[in-house]
């Protein structure tokens, strides 16, 4: 007799582990299966985000930013340092320790919430008597059965045709987080989120970084006023960004990699680098899930087809996170995971995609929520815009970090906030106020009338709101 559960979650990344915890909180007998292994072969729940994504990348961004400050801006504060050096092995060790803390934290949360954890791969076996039978293969080998199944199997990096990842010279996000020594020359294909974050890490540590982007526009999904400001800052820092290229081929030599491509003018060009990061997007992952066994429907991209409520084509089978449509973000996966557990319990939650914030953790940081100016124009919607530069903010000046601005877009008639776009210090934290405002359908005047602490970066959000009505006080 197989073990019976009310809810079986396959995948223990942010979508899966959060869904499992919420389901258990709601009183369901819940199991979570995750196959990620740590370097000793033990369980490492947390998925891409914890193991090779959000967490380790932010650990390296922090370390490399401290290094850059020590080398370039401490002097302005009168702090003198001699013989500045970077111990890459130690920096990577610290990152690994942060990852381990998070893995262990999730195992602890499973115990605390009475979620049964299986370390191994989960695959559909058949439609069973009491739901679905799932074969677990790995450290534990058994068949378990779930009345409800939540699929949260995540995504994998997309390789360039003809240039498979070897994680030595041609690197995915995984290898990009494990480079053992600062490369002299680093190439990056794709100036998206990973390309900019990982390119920034290794540039700060001393690599000569060239980013090759296929599209003619830099950060096309970002409000273009913000993207232009960010492009200016990255270029000033020494990141070389070539737009509108067409990659021809990637050839790995003994100690280097050569990228042959046509530049924006169509001229044949070569770039020789010591390491190459390929960050051209990610693909939904259903490898080993055996969807055919139960007739689970996938789309042409390999994503599991779901409706607005994360229901698949099968009764009581749900899917969340990177393996379904929508932005590939950890917090989006988590929101969907919670919502599915609550729907199984008969509740009526709602995930508002329009208020899912985006953050790029470069320096300056880029963060936004809602619609961009380009989107509003394309829709023909009338809007008012207000911007406020950090240059005019007292706290930013005191910090010595005045790059960027806050930009607010509001409906021309109702004044409802339609989008907030930030490039600058702590944009990742500042965006939370905008998300709350938009969730409560606030107007720009609401933000303009709220008291913000002085001196704080958040005063720039208030000033941007005042700017919507052309009445900034400090600019
Ligand atoms: P995943 O995190 O991919 O988890 C899926 C899990 O399922 C994995 O552990 C996998 O091993 C397991 N699995 C798959 N198939 C099976 C199976 N058949 N049986 C058992 N287990 C299985 N997002 C942000 O919001 N902020 C960031 O700062 C950020 N930084 C990122 C940096 C990088 C370098 C990368 C690559 C991504 C980053 N992301 C970030 C994106 C974020 O990591 C993903 O959106 C998020 O991890 C998706 O969560 P998920 O639960 O859907 O899938
Ligand atoms: P991305 O979609 O952000 O960027 C990919 C870039 O590669 C795009 O600019 C695209 O035009 C370009 N590109 C695609 N094919 C190309 C080609 N053949 N030649 C040259 N350029 C090409 O994807 P990325 O950076 O791989 O990240 C994947 C996802 O992971 C992100 O979309 C995001 O959802 C998530 N992520 C989120 C982070 C965050 O929230 N801070 C950090 C890192 C990743």
């Amino acid at each position: 007799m197989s073990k019976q559960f009310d809810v079986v979650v396959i995948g223990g990344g942010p979508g899966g582990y959060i869904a499992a915890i919420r389901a258990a909180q709601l009183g369901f007998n819940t199991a979570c299966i995750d196959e990620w292994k740590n370097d000793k072969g033990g369980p490492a729940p947390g998925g891409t985000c914890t193991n090779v994504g959000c967490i380790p990348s932010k650990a390296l961004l922090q370390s490399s930013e401290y290094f850059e400050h020590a080398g370039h801006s401490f002097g302005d504060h009168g702090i003198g340092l001699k013989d500045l050096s970077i111990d890459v092995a130690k920096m990577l060790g610290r990152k690994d320790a942060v990852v381990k803390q998070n893995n262990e934290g999730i195992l602890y949360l499973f115990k605390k919430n009475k979620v049964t954890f299986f370390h191994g791969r989960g695959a559909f076996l058949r439609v069973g008597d009491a739901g679905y039978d799932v074969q677990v293969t790995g450290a534990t080998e058994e068949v378990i059965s779930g009345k409800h199944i939540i699929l949260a199997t995540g995504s994998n990096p997309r390789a360039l045709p003809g240039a498979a990842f070897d994680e030595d010279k041609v690197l995915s996000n995984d290898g990009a987080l494990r480079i053992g020594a600062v490369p002299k020359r680093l190439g990056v294909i794709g100036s998206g989120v990973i390309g900019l974050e990982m390119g920034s890490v290794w540039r700060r540590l001393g690599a000569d970084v060239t980013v090759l982007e296929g599209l003619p526009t830099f950060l096309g999904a970002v409000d273009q006023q913000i993207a232009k400001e960010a492009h200016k800052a990255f270029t000033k820092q020494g990141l070389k960004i070539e737009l509108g290229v067409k990659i021809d081929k990637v050839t790995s030599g003994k100690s280097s990699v050569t990228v042959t491509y046509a530049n924006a003018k169509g001229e044949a060009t070569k770039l020789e680098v010591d390491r190459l990061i390929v960050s051209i997007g990610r693909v939904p992952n259903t490898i080993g899930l055996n969807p055919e066994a139960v007739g689970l429907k996938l789309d042409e991209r390999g994503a599991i087809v779901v409706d607005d409520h994360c229901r698949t084509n099968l009764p009581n089978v749900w899917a969340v996170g990177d393996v379904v449509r929508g932005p590939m973000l950890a917090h989006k996966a988590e929101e969907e995971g919670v919502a599915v557990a609550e729907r199984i319990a008969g509740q009526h939650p709602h995930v508002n995609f329009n208020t899912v914030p985006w953050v790029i953790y470069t320096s300056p940081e880029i963060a936004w929520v809602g619609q961009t100016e380009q989107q509003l124009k394309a829709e023909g919607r009338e809007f008012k815009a207000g911007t406020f530069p950090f240059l005019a903010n007292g706290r930013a000046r005191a910090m010595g970090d005045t790059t960027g601005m806050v930009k607010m877009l509001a409906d021309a008639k109702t004044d409802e906030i339609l989008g907030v776009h930030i490039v600058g210090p702590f944009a990742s934290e500042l965006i939370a106020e905008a998300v709350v405002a938009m969730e409560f359908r606030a107007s720009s005047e609401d933000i303009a009338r709220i008291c913000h602490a002085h001196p704080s970066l958040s005063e720039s959000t208030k000033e941007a709101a005042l700017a919507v009505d052309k009445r900034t006080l400090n600019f």
Side-chain angles (χ1 to χ4, degrees):
M1 176 77 179
S2 60
K3 279 187 195 141
Q4 304 276 323
F5 292 92
D6 299 322
V7 177
V8 170
V9 182
I10 305 183
Y17 91 78
I18 289 292
I21 289 173
R22 186 69 188 121
Q25 282 177 350
L26 290 162
F28 295 113
N29 179 17
T30 305
C32 182
I33 312 168
D34 187 81
E35 65 178 340
W36 207 293
K37 290 189 183 117
N38 62 26
D39 53 1
K40 295 192 177 67
T48 300
C49 169
T50 301
N51 292 293
V52 291
C54 326
I55 302 300
S57 60
K58 266 80 256 180
L60 296 188
L61 279 155
Q62 194 64 51
S63 301
S64 59
E65 190 162 5
Y66 283 150
F67 182 71
E68 176 143 284
H69 282 319
H72 296 280
S73 49
F74 276 15
D76 297 342
H77 296 261
I79 305 168
L81 281 174
K82 273 194 199 132
D83 304 327
L84 187 64
S85 66
I86 179 79
D87 180 341
V88 174
K90 192 161 180 185
M91 177 186 77
L92 296 182
R94 175 187 173 275
K95 175 229 12 164
D96 292 340
V98 173
V99 167
K100 192 162 169 265
Q101 267 176 0
N102 282 271
N103 296 140
E104 286 169 357
I106 295 167
L107 289 171
Y108 161 78
L109 289 171
F110 281 160
K111 266 207 185 105
K112 182 182 161 203
N113 289 282
K114 301 194 174 52
V115 173
T116 307
F117 176 65
F118 293 89
H119 186 211
R121 174 169 282 187
F124 278 115
L125 196 57
R126 62 187 155 244
V127 179
D129 300 332
Y132 295 84
D133 291 344
V134 175
Q135 172 74 53
V136 183
T137 317
T140 32
E141 305 238 347
E142 58 189 295
V143 175
I144 65 173
S145 167
K147 196 168 158 203
H148 286 267
I149 306 286
I150 304 176
L151 303 169
T153 47
S155 62
N156 289 316
R158 186 155 78 86
L160 265 176
F165 297 117
D166 60 22
E167 303 301 2
D168 173 36
K169 287 195 208 66
V170 181
L171 312 169
S172 71
N173 54 293
D174 188 1
L177 290 158
R178 289 193 280 114
I179 305 177
V182 181
K184 252 184 127 152
R185 301 162 303 173
L186 176 70
V188 179
I189 301 186
S191 72
V193 198
I194 295 179
L196 292 173
E197 289 188 357
M198 295 316 299
S200 293
V201 165
W202 295 106
R203 182 205 56 74
R204 291 170 188 167
L205 300 177
D208 180 11
V209 181
T210 306
V211 185
L212 302 177
E213 165 60 43
L215 292 177
T217 317
F218 181 64
L219 288 177
V222 177
D223 186 280
Q224 282 302 293
Q225 192 177 358
I226 298 294
K228 282 202 179 88
E229 189 77 11
H231 186 269
K232 208 164 61 189
F234 297 148
T235 308
K236 200 169 151 203
Q237 290 162 4
L239 210 59
K240 295 175 200 144
I241 304 169
E242 274 198 55
L243 301 174
V245 310
K246 193 167 181 311
I247 307 293
D248 179 19
K249 65 174 191 280
V250 172
T251 320
S252 277
K254 235 183 168 172
S255 57
S256 68
V257 190
T258 305
V259 185
T260 315
Y261 64 98
N263 67 16
K265 292 184 196 139
E267 298 156 346
T269 313
K270 270 191 183 157
L271 173 73
E272 193 187 347
V273 289
D274 305 308
R275 311 265 189 160
L276 179 71
I277 298 173
V278 177
S279 47
I280 56 169
R282 297 178 63 83
V283 286
N285 168 44
T286 52
I287 298 169
L289 184 63
N290 199 17
E292 306 81 21
V294 288
L296 178 72
K297 203 166 151 197
L298 310 183
D299 69 13
E300 62 289 346
R301 290 170 47 243
I304 298 173
V305 177
V306 288
D307 66 9
D308 287 350
H309 295 153
C310 293
R311 280 194 193 91
T312 68
N313 65 312
L314 301 172
N316 298 339
V317 179
W318 312 74
V320 301
D322 281 12
V323 76
V324 304
R325 49 65 198 126
M328 288 186 170
L329 295 174
H331 41 284
K332 175 265 192 184
E334 292 182 7
E335 292 303 315
E336 287 183 331
V338 167
V340 163
E342 293 178 350
R343 268 178 210 126
I344 292 173
Q347 299 180 9
H348 301 282
H350 173 64
V351 179
N352 182 1
F353 275 9
N354 191 43
T355 53
V356 172
W358 275 85
V359 178
I360 307 179
Y361 293 83
T362 43
S363 181
E365 291 185 343
I366 304 166
W368 72 98
V369 59
Q371 287 168 290
T372 62
E373 187 167 333
Q374 303 91 263
Q375 283 171 330
L376 294 175
K377 280 184 177 152
E379 264 181 29
R381 185 144 182 191
E382 283 183 41
F383 64 93
K384 302 175 282 184
T387 57
F388 186 80
F390 285 109
L391 196 62
N393 174 276
R395 181 78 191 280
R397 282 196 207 123
M399 288 164 62
D401 197 353
T402 52
T403 308
M405 70 183 91
V406 179
K407 171 172 180 175
M408 189 174 285
L409 301 168
D411 186 275
K413 288 195 191 80
T414 65
D415 194 35
E416 179 175 349
I417 300 170
L418 303 174
V420 176
H421 306 271
I422 308 174
V423 54
F426 292 102
S428 57
E429 301 296 333
L430 293 173
I431 200 67
E433 179 183 9
V435 175
V436 173
M438 285 185 64
E439 268 296 331
F440 283 84
R441 303 197 61 178
S443 62
S444 79
E445 190 185 348
D446 288 329
I447 299 297
R449 287 188 181 280
I450 290 172
C451 180
H452 288 64
H454 177 76
S456 73
L457 297 171
S458 71
E459 287 173 290
S460 302
T461 308
K462 178 188 171 104
E463 290 275 6
L466 286 165
V468 169
D469 201 27
K470 299 197 172 30
R471 54 188 183 105
T472 50
L473 297 165
N474 283 288
F475 186 60

